[in-house]
Amino acid sequence: MGEDADARKINHGFLRDHGYVTEADVISTVEFNHTGELLATGDKGGRVVVFQREPESKSAPHGQGEYDVYSTFQSHEPEFDYLKSLEIEEKINKIKWLPQQNAAHSLLSTNDKTIKLWKITERDKRPEGYNLKDEEGKLKDLSTVTSLQVPVLKPMDLMVEVSPRRVFANGHTYHINSISVNSDCETYMSADDLRINLWHLAITDRSFNIVDIKPANMEDLTEVITASEFHPHHCNLFVYSSSKGSLRLCDMRAAALCDKHSKLFEEPEDPSNRSFFSEIISSVSDVKFSHSGRYMLTRDYLTVKVWDLNMEARPIETYQVHDYLRSKLCSLYENDCIFDKFECAWNGSDSVIMTGAYNNFFRMFDRNTKRDVTLEASRESSKPRAVLKPRRVCVGGKRRRDDISVDSLDFTRKILHTAWHPAENIIAIAATNNLYIFQDKVNSEMH
């Protein structure tokens, strides 16, 4: 989004066979780790695929290393709750990386009910020359051992091993929609429709309920929790969003149960814009703190908004994602698209924000220049080093040659999940069963 905002090229596209797409292959979450060297995706089949960035080659020292598959493992399996006669899907709802503290990497993954902590380790050496075992690992006849030898480590082909370290179960009655690791690196929280729980990473059999909005009578229920996140620097602060379009900032120092928020961020509704769909489209589907911790980014159905933590009355910035859909809300309600939950992302310097749309379009907004661009993640433009052309949607009147009419948008092709590299202009876009990784053509430094 700098001097040449529209010249972006593909670094690498991880494309599965598009001729045969099963529901299990649909990507349901995307997450870079804290250095950006690893990228994890989860899918509806309960699998986690981890990509690793290849080191820069000597032939092209300034060229960016591409992301290649590092490890694939089955995180969750389908389950059945016999007490409630309820099937529990294996779909991965969220993945969160833990800050790296040694050679191993750790991540949390969750489906609707169960959160798991996974450890990813590498092995490229194996010990040889045991005194009491032979090469196959069987015990030797002790009478044949006549001398002592020192075992040695011999190089071997790199093996990536993934092992489950903890399983955090039975903490939620309703479906888990978000998890967030605290900056203290010891605790994390998980949120469902009505409650938020705080967990210690070392304790699996209990959690502390820190938010509970369940009314005594469920008929009095007016809103549900849609997303939550810890503040990036202050371990006592967290925010959660609701289906009514409000954000509540809570301070865990104030009380053990944070039912009373410290701050309520809510935009007053414009009566002239009120319609049958107002409440549905105002529901916040995602909330993200900026890296600085000063701002919050929220996504509702038609807009992304930037909020200042010091100003509760209204957002300081509002960007229209696809305002041309306002006239189509009735048909979007009938085909259930109006309930789609789009995510949003900050770039590393908090100057550009990104979110997805329909027709495999995704939008970027530069907060400094107020420029915005619509780009498309498609197989046609996914050849390595291809330059992405900006796309325009027209609502009638004159059409330019490359414009696409709002009536010909494909609502089955939607970009719900996106992620931005923490330090460079590299983005990951999940489009149904395909993962696209794009990189800025100008350079990979922040503008």
Side-chain angles (χ1 to χ4, degrees), residues 5-230:
D6 306 332
R8 308 185 93 77
K9 66 177 179 180
I10 288 188
N11 185 36
H12 192 62
F14 172 65
L15 307 169
R16 292 185 176 134
D17 177 18
H18 67 295
Y20 178 67
V21 181
T22 65
E23 186 73 7
D25 289 332
V26 174
I27 298 171
S28 52
T29 185
V30 188
E31 192 82 12
F32 279 101
N33 75 341
H34 293 74
T35 62
E37 294 305 298
L38 296 176
L39 169 67
T41 66
D43 63 26
K44 289 190 173 180
R47 293 180 298 259
V48 173
V49 181
V50 180
F51 299 86
Q52 184 183 44
R53 195 175 185 189
E54 294 298 310
E56 294 173 355
S57 63
K58 289 177 182 173
S59 57
H62 300 295
Q64 294 298 327
E66 296 185 346
Y67 285 84
D68 288 325
V69 176
Y70 179 62
S71 176
T72 304
F73 60 95
Q74 188 73 31
S75 174
H76 287 70
E77 302 279 358
E79 296 173 52
F80 191 79
D81 186 332
Y82 291 97
L83 291 175
K84 295 180 180 169
S85 295
L86 197 68
E87 283 186 45
I88 301 167
E89 287 185 342
E90 64 271 39
K91 173 192 166 195
I92 308 292
N93 291 344
K94 282 286 182 288
I95 289 172
K96 290 292 174 190
W97 291 91
L98 272 59
Q100 192 175 359
Q101 294 176 331
N102 50 37
H105 297 277
S106 299
L107 61 81
L108 289 168
S109 64
T110 184
N111 67 350
D112 286 341
K113 298 289 182 189
T114 306
I115 307 153
K116 295 184 179 181
L117 173 63
W118 296 90
K119 185 179 180 184
I120 305 169
T121 52
E122 287 185 356
R123 231 171 14 130
D124 61 355
K125 292 183 174 64
R126 69 164 178 264
E128 283 185 6
Y130 286 111
N131 288 288
L132 303 179
K133 292 179 183 174
D134 60 19
E135 296 305 317
E136 293 174 2
K138 294 176 184 170
L139 279 173
K140 292 180 184 175
D141 180 0
L142 296 185
S143 61
T144 64
V145 179
T146 56
S147 61
L148 285 175
Q149 56 181 342
V150 179
V152 292
L153 288 172
K154 292 279 183 71
M156 61 177 269
D157 290 340
L158 178 68
M159 271 181 64
V160 179
E161 295 177 335
V162 181
S163 54
R165 304 295 295 186
R166 309 251 193 287
V167 177
F168 305 88
N170 307 318
H172 288 274
T173 309
Y174 306 96
H175 292 177
I176 299 170
N177 55 44
S178 53
I179 50 177
S180 178
V181 180
N182 202 346
S183 58
D184 63 10
C185 300
E186 288 187 356
T187 55
Y188 75 93
M189 68 177 174
S190 55
D192 64 26
D193 290 346
L194 300 180
R195 296 189 180 103
I196 300 176
N197 291 341
L198 180 70
W199 302 80
H200 193 285
L201 283 161
I203 302 169
T204 59
D205 60 352
R206 64 183 180 275
S207 60
F208 295 96
N209 182 221
I210 52 175
V211 172
D212 187 348
I213 64 166
K214 185 181 178 182
N217 183 354
M218 283 295 272
E219 289 179 6
D220 299 333
L221 184 68
T222 58
E223 62 181 334
V224 295
I225 297 166
T226 54
S228 63
E229 189 175 60
F230 269 120

Side-chain angles (χ1 to χ4, degrees), residues 306-372:
V306 177
W307 301 78
D308 189 318
L309 255 64
N310 300 325
M311 193 171 111
E312 299 168 63
R314 63 182 58 83
I316 56 169
E317 297 159 32
T318 300
Y319 301 97
Q320 299 295 334
V321 178
H322 37 209
D323 202 44
Y324 45 77
L325 295 182
R326 214 172 271 278
S327 61
K328 301 208 164 296
L329 292 177
C330 195
S331 58
L332 290 164
Y333 178 76
E334 287 171 359
N335 65 15
D336 278 352
C337 283
I338 201 166
F339 302 106
D340 285 335
K341 293 176 171 56
F342 292 94
E343 294 172 7
C344 51
W346 297 91
N347 72 342
S349 61
D350 300 332
S351 60
V352 184
I353 53 186
M354 169 176 64
T355 192
Y358 292 107
N359 212 67
N360 276 10
F361 289 167
F362 59 98
R363 303 268 284 137
M364 288 185 170
F365 304 92
D366 189 311
R367 298 180 59 211
N368 299 326
T369 64
K370 302 303 176 192
R371 291 173 64 189
D372 65 273

